[in-house]
Amino acid sequence: MTSGDAAADSGPAAPGDAADVGAAARDDAAADVGLLAPVRAGTAVEDATGDAAYVRALLDAETALVRAQESLGHAPAGTADTVAAAAADATRFDARSLALRARSGGNPVIPMAADLTAAVAERSEEAAAHVHRGATSQDILDTAAMLVASGALRLILADLDRAAAALALIAAEHRDTPMAGRTLTQHAVPTTFGLKAAGWRSLILDARDRVAAVLHTLPVQLGGAAGTLAAFGAFADSGERGAGEVRDTGLGLVAAYADATGLAVPLLPWHTLRTPVADLAGALAFTAGALGKLAADVLVLSRTEIGEVSESTGGGSSAMPHKANPARAVLIASAARQVPAAVGILYGALAAEDERPPGAWHAEWQPLREALRTVGGAADAAATLAEGLRVHPGRMRANLGATGGLIVSERITAVLSARMGRAAARTAVTRGAARAAREGTRLHDALAQDPALAGIVSPDELRTLGDPSGYTGSAGLLADRALRRHHDGGTVPE
């Protein structure tokens, strides 16, 4: 056991007193700087979800609660400002110290509330009496988590907007650029790159809708020890009336607390009713998957032997100087594989017993943060990828010819079916495809040599039917319709 572990296990350290805790707090070796998580390293969302951001959110949650109580006359005027001034001193609240002392009580709110109370007491003993009054640790930590999520989701939305805008330009520019459509890894029939890009954008807008909807509904948490709000009324009413009188102050306080934090008012305290976390998890999982689809396609299309797209600045290789790896797509793809695992834990925490859960709530903290910051990093990478994506129509055209016209066999079969019957047409095209493969010729040339088709279709018509660019169906119209979908980046609430 390390000295830091011993200090943590020996009980709560007095605010600012434990030398071992202070030493551990200054140990940068304990910091998570994203070495194994490059998808979020250096991004705005990393800062918005880091330990410092959570400490700030915890302090904001505590301050907002005092401000809400003061607004209802449950605390003397000026109390919240005194608490806010004490909370603003960042040197008093060290994340590593809080983490070590949290091991004793099971969560970081307990030592944080002690530190904040001590800091406020230096300014006003009366104000210090109102810190954390009536609240339970979960009220503060859940509220802080929603504040952190709110900040992270706003960053994610901004990057989704960037990606969608860039893809709209690409889809419009390449509305009619033909390329091979691929099913089960093989050439199927022609499509257009505009339709593919419009599809990527549509998924990203779907993700944006879900993230924005969740952002609007992130709720404050306030219930007290067992979700009845009883202590808030007891503290507010003490000395104001005789025993036996009843006045409900809880619901008004929840509304005032929501107003002070900028979060939504919940229908009920949600200590063990984890719908808000589950809804947030679902939006994050969908967003990771939507971005993952973009990444998966870019990874396939940027293969050396395909070469239909490339990233604007490829990643290098430690061993092969010639390589320009699709590094952003790789990072997005990695995020798409990580987030569902984190979200699975969040969904599992729905089965939370009693009025306060032992373990289910605690299990949410890290997976929620990892999901937020991983999706945020992926959204940042996706925006940069889309804005710099290079499209290579020449390679698309060359790849369309890789099968010697077999990619349009469906079209030729359909035309011949109207003239000679479906069965006969299929037999003729199958025979022609085999001849083309055997002789290394194009499908339309092989069919032109088939005596069974003499007088039914001319070589010139077969040549026209064999042009892949003429068989993209409604791809252009579908892209147009997708691009008419409204995209308003200004709908995020203030």
Side-chain angles (χ1 to χ4, degrees):
M1 178 179 290
T2 66
S3 60
D5 290 334
D9 286 343
S10 64
D17 286 349
D20 285 349
V21 170
R26 293 188 296 273
D27 184 2
D28 290 340
D32 177 3
V33 295
L35 180 66
L36 302 183
V39 69
R40 51 91 169 171
T43 62
V45 78
E46 182 179 46
D47 285 339
T49 57
D51 283 348
Y54 267 87
V55 171
R56 183 71 261 158
L58 290 169
L59 293 167
D60 288 345
E62 292 280 16
T63 303
L65 180 57
V66 178
R67 197 170 298 283
Q69 291 171 326
E70 182 181 322
S71 72
L72 297 178
H74 302 167
T79 301
D81 287 342
T82 301
V83 174
D89 184 2
T91 63
R92 296 293 297 262
F93 310 99
D94 183 86
R96 181 64 172 169
S97 170
L98 294 174
L100 292 172
R101 288 181 287 150
R103 296 184 66 191
S104 178
N107 73 76
V109 177
I110 297 171
M112 187 276 301
D115 289 358
L116 180 59
T117 300
V120 174
E122 294 176 4
R123 291 167 168 80
S124 167
E125 289 287 350
E126 183 182 25
H130 292 273
V131 174
H132 200 70
R133 195 175 74 167
T136 191
S137 297
Q138 191 170 354
D139 289 333
I140 301 304
L141 187 50
D142 277 348
T143 298
M146 294 299 100
L147 290 172
V148 169
S150 177
L153 292 185
R154 292 169 193 276
L155 294 172
I156 291 169
L157 284 172
D159 285 330
L160 293 178
D161 286 340
R162 286 175 53 206
L167 291 174
L169 294 176
I170 293 173
E173 180 181 355
H174 293 282
R175 176 188 186 274
D176 300 312
T177 299
M179 66 177 295
R182 297 172 173 92
T183 64
L184 304 181
T185 76
Q186 306 296 299
H187 282 203
V189 295
T191 184
T192 70
F193 188 68
L195 180 57
K196 182 176 283 290
W200 294 338
R201 175 181 180 268
S202 182
L203 267 181
I204 287 174
L205 292 182
D206 287 343
R208 190 192 189 284
D209 287 348
R210 286 157 174 78
V211 170
V214 167
L215 175 60
H216 281 75
T217 60
L218 293 176
V220 75
Q221 173 74 283
L222 197 63
T228 65
L229 299 163
F232 298 109
F235 278 114
D237 296 338
S238 59
E240 295 181 7
R241 62 175 188 275
E245 288 186 62
V246 176
R247 186 181 71 180
D248 187 357
T249 59
L251 299 184
L253 181 59
V254 174
Y257 191 33
D259 184 64
T261 58
L263 297 172
V265 178
L267 179 65
L268 295 170
W270 44 281
H271 294 147
T272 52
L273 308 174
R274 307 306 284 176
T275 301
V277 175
D279 285 346
L280 176 55
L284 293 172
F286 183 91
T287 301
L291 297 174
K293 162 60 176 171
L294 164 64
D297 280 347
V298 169
L299 290 172
V300 168
L301 298 179
S302 61
R303 288 176 181 271
T304 303
E305 60 271 25
I306 297 177
E308 295 178 356
V309 302
S310 59
E311 293 189 10
S312 57
T313 53
S317 165
S318 63
M320 295 163 283
H322 68 281
K323 293 191 70 179
N325 297 320
R328 292 186 181 89
V330 168
L331 293 179
I332 298 167
S334 77
R337 286 162 171 78
Q338 294 175 64
V339 173
V343 166
I345 297 173
L346 299 177
Y347 280 141
L350 280 166
E353 61 272 51
D354 301 327
E355 279 61 57
R356 294 279 305 288
W361 169 56
H362 307 73
E364 291 177 351
W365 307 341
Q366 272 293 92
L368 178 58
R369 172 161 65 178
E370 287 308 308
L372 284 168
R373 66 197 338 186
T374 303
V375 171
D380 176 88
T384 303
L385 186 159
E387 288 171 345
L389 189 67
R390 295 174 178 172
V391 183
H392 308 298
R395 289 287 291 180
M396 293 177 181
R397 167 66 73 171
N399 289 336
L400 275 171
T403 61
L406 294 180
I407 196 168
V408 292
S409 62
E410 178 187 73
R411 180 191 194 187
I412 295 173
T413 301
V415 171
L416 294 180
S417 293
R419 304 177 187 180
M420 58 189 301
R422 183 175 180 181
R426 185 176 181 84
T427 298
V429 173
T430 299
R431 187 170 56 245
R435 182 172 185 172
R438 185 174 61 252
E439 297 179 0
T441 187
R442 299 189 64 80
L443 176 61
H444 66 81
D445 289 329
L447 292 173
Q449 299 176 47
D450 189 341
L453 298 179
I456 295 177
V457 60
S458 70
D460 286 343
E461 186 179 7
L462 284 170
R463 188 175 296 105
T464 299
L465 293 174
D467 180 5
S469 64
Y471 192 55
T472 57
S474 300
L477 295 176
L478 288 169
D480 292 342
R481 183 165 73 176
L483 291 177
R484 285 194 294 271
R485 178 175 174 181
H486 184 55
H487 170 221
D488 182 3
T491 58
V492 181
E494 295 295 332

